[in-house]
Amino acid sequence: MTGIPRIVCLTCCLCCVAWPLSHAEDTPQNAGNKPNIVFFLVDDLGVMDIGAYNPDTFYETPNVDCLAKSGVQFRQGYAACCVCSPTRFSIMTGKYPVRNGCTNYFGGLRSERFHPAPLHEQLDLDETTLAEAFQEAGYKTAFLGKWHLGPTAEFWPENQGFDVNIGGCNAGAPSSYFAPYRNPRLPDGPDGEFLTERLANEAVAQIKAMKDSPFFLYFSFYQVHVPLMAPEPLIKKYREKAKRLGLPTSQAELFTPEEQTWPTDDPRLVRERQTHAVYAAMVESMDSAVGRVVEALREEGVLDNTILCFVADNGGLSTAEGSPTSNWPLRGGKGWLYEGGHRVAYIIRTPDGKPLESDVPVITNDFYPTLLDLAGLPLKPEQHRDGVSLKPIIDGTQTTLDREALFWHYPHYANQGGFPGGVIRKGDWKLIRRYEDGRTHLYHLNADPSEQHDLSAAEPERTRALAAELDQWLQSTGARFLREKDGLKPWQPD
């Protein structure tokens, strides 16, 4: 089951002819040594924004499509949270964010009907991060872009296993995508310099500097997070494309009503069509940066010894703060516990691997043990306790994983309107529990990928069993919950 259309994209095939991911004539500088790792993390990118996952996307992503075509494309990949900081925590630690109380984006303390759960707003230094694990193994390490895992420099990349930090600080969003950036870890370029192009240049420079030893390069895009900004020529291109395709422009044609956090008279509007020219330009510039980095790997002779990963930190923004994209047919988006909020593009390409599409549900916790395993390094099970190595899937020796369920815990009010709640996915079944009043909803994702048909009343025994399993997991991880406000008490587990 995927709920997402499969395609063989002609554009992607042509791209791979022009820009192959493997060249027999290349001689990697690190031949015979540990593989390099290049990790692309994109902010707020919807799974339906990528051509490899959606043949009808309005956006153009030939380089990411090419990466998906030549690697393992996980069709049911998930972020550990529907907002950014917790997912970033999960990648760096291999843990569910609930274990450390890092359950919302850092700075996210909004109250609505109830007060949110307490929030731990730092990646603690006693965690052995993924970068530190590679550093211990003799890797050079470099971080570029958005960090958002600590309030002060004590918790920034240079103190979390990265030899080089370019741009990583406490900021959740750039002040501008054009210089001056006002970033304490990114000196300003000339006025008008575009941030994504600047970070791509920095990534290429780091590849050249590190190529003679194994390296771990973590390219964490600020895009496609708001503010919505991109070079004008690209914006013009997509305005003309939308006009040429005759795409709708009115709110009635682009949006549909959706439920609010708590019942109100005014439904929230959710975007159902991709037409936003500025957002499209941001997606394309991200994709171009991916292409530049991979081309640099090829030019430096290290592509054939490099593992490439691509993922987003949460689903696409479609319900507030500008609603620039659509995740349809997935329900909801960033900040929501429906599939649109945490289903993401999830790609791993190894030099000697074969192209593969996998329907195995995977989560961002899994990157930590997977990358150690692929690099031939010792695993750290006490650290990445909630991750599973995907190497058996990638190398084709297994088609399933020894894991029964995935879990989410979000005891907060999202800026995008999402309600506080918890989730368990087990097989094709997904149960959502609302933390305001304890209500549960049950969906069968194979038959109903858009989560339109709540089966909790029709499947009472299954609902009770899944709810009990979710509650047991919450208890075992030390989960914290909504707090009383104005004399009103929220649901609490027994």
Side-chain angles (χ1 to χ4, degrees), residues 340-403:
H342 48 213
R343 183 87 73 88
V344 293
Y346 195 119
I347 302 164
I348 301 176
R349 183 263 182 187
T350 58
D352 56 353
K354 295 181 180 179
L356 175 68
E357 289 185 7
S358 172
D359 285 332
V360 175
V362 298
I363 195 166
T364 46
N365 317 341
D366 297 332
F367 279 113
Y368 197 132
T370 298
L371 290 175
L372 292 185
D373 207 1
L374 290 173
L377 301 177
L379 299 186
K380 296 178 178 290
E382 292 303 312
Q383 174 59 56
H384 50 72
R385 58 191 301 184
D386 298 315
V388 174
S389 174
L390 307 180
K391 185 175 182 293
I393 303 293
I394 294 167
D395 63 21
T397 59
Q398 291 180 202
T399 57
T400 60
L401 294 174
D402 184 20
R403 174 169 58 196

Side-chain angles (χ1 to χ4, degrees), residues 274-314:
Q274 296 175 343
T275 63
H276 200 296
V278 180
Y279 184 86
M282 296 179 77
V283 172
E284 180 172 333
S285 60
M286 174 279 299
D287 181 80
S288 296
V290 169
R292 285 198 57 208
V293 170
V294 177
E295 178 63 15
L297 293 168
R298 186 194 65 78
E299 289 179 350
E300 297 303 322
V302 296
L303 180 58
D304 288 344
N305 194 38
T306 300
I307 297 165
L308 295 127
C309 302
F310 182 94
V311 74
D313 62 351
N314 48 249

Side-chain angles (χ1 to χ4, degrees), residues 148 247 436 451:
H148 206 191
L247 296 180
E436 291 154 317
E451 296 169 282

Side-chain angles (χ1 to χ4, degrees), residues 395-417:
D395 63 21
T397 59
Q398 291 180 202
T399 57
T400 60
L401 294 174
D402 184 20
R403 174 169 58 196
E404 292 190 353
L406 296 175
F407 300 91
W408 290 263
H409 175 58
Y410 189 63
H412 302 279
Y413 290 97
N415 290 348
Q416 299 75 32

